[in-house]
Amino acid sequence: MQFRRIDNLPPYVFAEVNERKTAARRAGVDVIDLGFGNPDIPSPDGVVDKLVEAARQGKNHRYSSSRGLPNLRRAVAERYARAHGVTLDPDTEVINTIGAKEGLSHLMWTLVQPGDVALVPEPSYPIHIYAPVLAGAEVRRVHLSTDADFFDRLTAAFRTSWPKPRVIVISFPHNPTTVTVDRSFFERLVDFARRNDVMLVHDFAYADIAYDGYQPPSLLEVEGAKDVAVELYTLSKSHSMAGWRVGFVVGNAEIVGALAQLKSYLDYGTFQPIQIASIIALNEHDDYIDVVVDEYRKRRDVLIDGLDRAGWEVDTPHATMFVWARIPEPFRSHGSLKFALDLLDNAEVAVSPGIGFGPSGDEHVRFALVENEQRIAQATRNIKRYLAERSDGFPDDS
């Protein structure tokens, strides 16, 4: 049987690792899972308490608003004002989404259609590429790395594309590569977008997860950004509320309004007790962000130090909850999927193969900081043993 849209999706690379991991655990193997970026830090107690309180009130069991409760949209606007000095109109420039993935996917329905082109960095979090694809657009990928000027590559790709791209999708701090940018990058990008009549969509999922004094800028801090751009913000990482599915699209009022119109046909909004509890998260728990960031920083340091002792040198990320690691040279030519599966089978550590984020990621694997420090330390000891046993690469290497 043929299906529409999903037949255009490639096999999900991460599924093979997940299946092997599940089989190993069923066989009694203690796999340390640093693959799926699924936060393990609990949500704030006060937010959970508010959820329970609101869920016990029958009036909150009815349909809610697909735009989000007014007080929730106001809380997001106030968070942006505190954190970034950005003024948002909660009535016209903020909308609640059922997580950032839903928000981005439905946003693409309003911005592109068959015949349109979207520019997307690659390697990439998969939904950044496939949200435009599912909307019928063609995606032109622009290689993202730290050793060249991404802005120049991006603008060159725009100028050589036909038809002219309608949307540029970006995300900094970046998943999976952990690349960061400063405000001057966004200033150049906004200026380019305004001069070339192209819309910017910035996934700001890791807005609050940064270390070593780095403060991720919001695209909307740039003067004139709201003329051409929207930004996605989420509580998944900042407040460790991934399973709650609370996201927002903020910025350009016309784009936000178009998404609101579309969502009015598709959903009735997030479960109202979740929205009510999210207001508490935004208004009363900025301090919890520091707790989350400190935990990820400690885990990052344990992982980096442990890999270094194992002889695997990797760059230290200044943001996100990931480490993007180039595969050791003896294994590199075989690709990231084979390396990830062999690491799982012989070191009992699960990581994400870089090929899952696009072909240019195939020399890397991604570690997610989703186990405690003791487990991460054990993972690096397992990796050290593994690399020592395979100092010349895979057994079939000559």
Side-chain angles (χ1 to χ4, degrees):
M1 182 180 295
Q2 289 187 331
F3 295 96
R4 305 296 185 250
R5 291 184 176 83
I6 62 170
D7 284 347
N8 293 327
L9 298 177
Y12 199 58
V13 170
F14 305 118
E16 190 167 350
V17 176
N18 290 337
E19 289 170 6
R20 190 80 65 92
K21 175 182 65 182
T22 300
R25 283 179 166 169
R26 285 175 178 166
V29 177
D30 181 23
V31 176
I32 302 172
D33 189 1
L34 304 178
F36 181 26
N38 191 7
D40 65 313
I41 302 169
S43 307
D45 289 341
V47 178
V48 176
D49 291 343
K50 191 65 177 181
L51 172 69
V52 173
E53 175 190 320
R56 293 188 184 280
Q57 299 179 33
K59 66 180 181 180
N60 290 326
H61 298 178
R62 306 178 71 184
Y63 293 131
S64 189
S65 164
S66 61
R67 290 183 64 94
L69 296 174
N71 282 343
L72 177 59
R73 289 183 275 117
R74 189 173 298 113
V76 174
E78 291 171 355
R79 170 66 191 165
Y80 259 76
R82 290 194 306 276
H84 304 289
V86 172
T87 300
L88 293 169
D89 182 339
D91 293 326
T92 61
E93 296 176 338
V94 179
I95 187 170
N96 177 218
T97 61
I98 307 172
K101 287 181 77 172
E102 178 271 317
L104 179 62
S105 298
H106 287 155
L107 181 62
M108 287 298 119
W109 287 17
T110 70
L111 298 181
V112 293
Q113 63 183 2
D116 290 330
V117 172
L119 291 185
V120 183
E122 198 243 8
S124 176
Y125 184 50
I127 196 62
H128 293 162
I129 291 174
Y130 293 104
V133 168
L134 288 169
E138 179 182 348
V139 171
R140 306 272 168 83
R141 306 184 192 204
V142 183
H143 178 53
L144 173 64
S145 68
T146 58
D147 58 2
D149 192 332
F150 172 67
F151 180 83
D152 288 346
R153 283 200 300 274
L154 187 68
T155 52
F158 182 92
R159 293 188 179 98
T160 57
S161 293
W162 184 259
K164 183 177 72 172
R166 197 161 193 269
V167 175
I168 298 174
V169 180
I170 50 173
S171 180
F172 297 103
H174 188 256
N175 174 17
T177 68
T178 76
V179 166
T180 59
V181 297
D182 58 21
R183 182 169 167 167
S184 66
F185 174 88
F186 285 146
E187 289 171 347
R188 289 192 292 165
L189 189 59
V190 167
D191 179 65
F192 180 85
R194 296 179 74 186
R195 286 188 287 106
N196 290 275
D197 191 28
V198 61
M199 291 173 283
L200 304 177
V201 174
H202 180 224
D203 184 355
F204 204 22
Y206 296 93
D208 303 306
I209 310 300
Y211 322 102
D212 311 322
Y214 174 67
Q215 296 292 326
S218 164
L219 174 64
L220 300 181
E221 293 175 22
V222 177
E223 184 177 355
K226 286 195 287 186
D227 294 340
V228 292
V230 289
E231 192 162 76
L232 290 110
Y233 181 69
T234 170
L235 301 186
S236 293
K237 313 308 187 302
S238 61
H239 292 78
S240 206
M241 294 169 61
W244 299 55
R245 309 314 301 134
V246 183
F248 305 93
V249 174
V250 302
N252 181 276
E254 286 187 81
I255 297 176
V256 169
L259 179 59
Q261 185 176 355
L262 177 69
K263 282 173 62 65
S264 70
Y265 283 88
L266 297 175
D267 68 72
Y268 288 107
T270 302
F271 184 42
Q272 191 151 294
I274 291 178
Q275 294 192 52
I276 293 169
S278 297
I279 296 168
I280 300 301
L282 286 161
N283 286 344
E284 301 180 14
H285 289 278
D286 281 1
D287 57 339
Y288 199 72
I289 297 172
D290 296 333
V291 173
V292 171
V293 170
D294 189 56
E295 182 61 32
Y296 285 137
R297 180 191 56 76
K298 289 187 288 187
R299 295 177 182 186
R300 177 202 66 171
D301 292 347
V302 169
L303 179 61
I304 295 293
D305 291 347
L307 291 178
D308 186 63
R309 285 193 293 272
W312 187 354
E313 293 186 15
V314 302
D315 293 333
T316 301
H318 297 298
T320 79
M321 52 184 283
F322 304 111
V323 169
W324 183 242
R326 195 176 189 205
I327 297 169
E329 195 279 330
F331 306 90
R332 202 172 294 154
S333 64
H334 293 269
S336 58
L337 181 58
K338 180 173 181 178
F339 179 72
L341 292 173
D342 201 60
L343 197 67
L344 176 60
D345 290 343
N346 295 286
E348 300 172 1
V349 177
V351 297
S352 292
I355 187 68
F357 304 99
S360 64
D362 201 25
E363 289 191 351
H364 293 75
V365 293
R366 191 196 70 180
F367 291 87
L369 304 173
V370 292
E371 294 268 14
N372 64 40
E373 293 172 63
Q374 291 72 32
R375 295 278 285 170
I376 290 175
Q378 180 61 54
T380 64
R381 289 192 291 271
N382 291 4
I383 290 170
K384 182 177 182 179
R385 185 194 71 241
Y386 167 85
L387 293 177
E389 292 172 352
R390 280 169 160 52
S391 58
D392 295 324
F394 295 115
D396 59 346
D397 286 351
S398 56

